[in-house]
Amino acid sequence: MKDALTLTGVALAALFFSGCGGGGSSPTRLAQAQARWQTASISHYAFTLERSCFCPPDSNGPVRIEVRGGTVVSITKPDGSPITGDYFSAYDTVEELFEVVRSAENRPAASIITDFDPDRGYPTRISIDYIAQAVDDEVSYSVSDFTQLP
């Protein structure tokens, strides 16, 4: 009985915190953010991406990513040197970052916290805990220094 009560409490806390304020995630919030992104019609942009996870250090960043017409033009380290390997290929465009959120929602992950730019809709923060009782399965993405390019 005690285990059932504990699990119920954990489940209720997860529901409360995942839907709290502006940082929770839901298919509706994701759809609204994507609509803002599509309305903004930005085809050439750059942003800094940091990923935090229990992963190889080279896969965490920060990196500067430039995208033109949905295609990645460059991914560089803060010193300007190019990134080798495909560490960032699954989330190196705004569209792919939206897909990271959608995939976590469909999985479903134990906890998803997202923030989106209020004007242009792109994700500014994605934090995912896939399994509540597991260690080292969490991942987060932070987008900063977003710049629309000519």
Side-chain angles (χ1 to χ4, degrees):
M1 179 72 175
K2 181 179 176 186
D3 288 341
L5 290 174
T6 301
L7 286 175
T8 301
V10 169
L12 288 172
L15 284 172
F16 174 79
F17 287 112
S18 68
C20 235
S25 185
S26 72
T28 302
R29 285 187 72 237
L30 177 60
Q32 291 168 343
Q34 281 189 286
R36 284 194 309 275
W37 175 250
Q38 290 170 348
T39 299
S41 194
I42 300 171
S43 63
H44 190 195
Y45 58 93
F47 63 96
T48 299
L49 177 70
E50 272 194 81
R51 179 177 178 224
S52 178
C53 61
F54 189 71
C55 311
D58 288 345
S59 71
N60 285 326
V63 295
R64 186 76 178 158
I65 301 173
E66 182 180 344
V67 178
R68 181 188 300 260
T71 302
V72 175
V73 174
S74 66
I75 302 177
T76 57
K77 296 177 183 178
D79 66 5
S81 61
I83 295 292
T84 55
D86 63 348
Y87 289 120
F88 299 94
S89 64
Y91 36 85
D92 56 8
T93 67
V94 168
E95 290 79 7
E96 288 172 340
L97 288 168
F98 284 133
E99 187 54 38
V100 167
V101 177
R102 183 176 296 102
S103 176
E105 288 175 345
N106 290 337
R107 192 168 178 174
S111 171
I112 307 167
I113 300 171
T114 54
D115 288 321
F116 301 97
D117 181 80
D119 299 319
R120 295 174 283 188
Y122 63 85
T124 58
R125 176 178 66 143
I126 304 168
S127 295
I128 304 167
D129 184 358
Y130 289 101
I131 305 166
Q133 291 79 22
V135 178
D136 298 338
D137 69 312
E138 301 85 4
V139 62
S140 64
Y141 305 86
S142 173
V143 171
S144 60
D145 303 319
F146 185 93
T147 308
Q148 184 172 354
L149 300 171

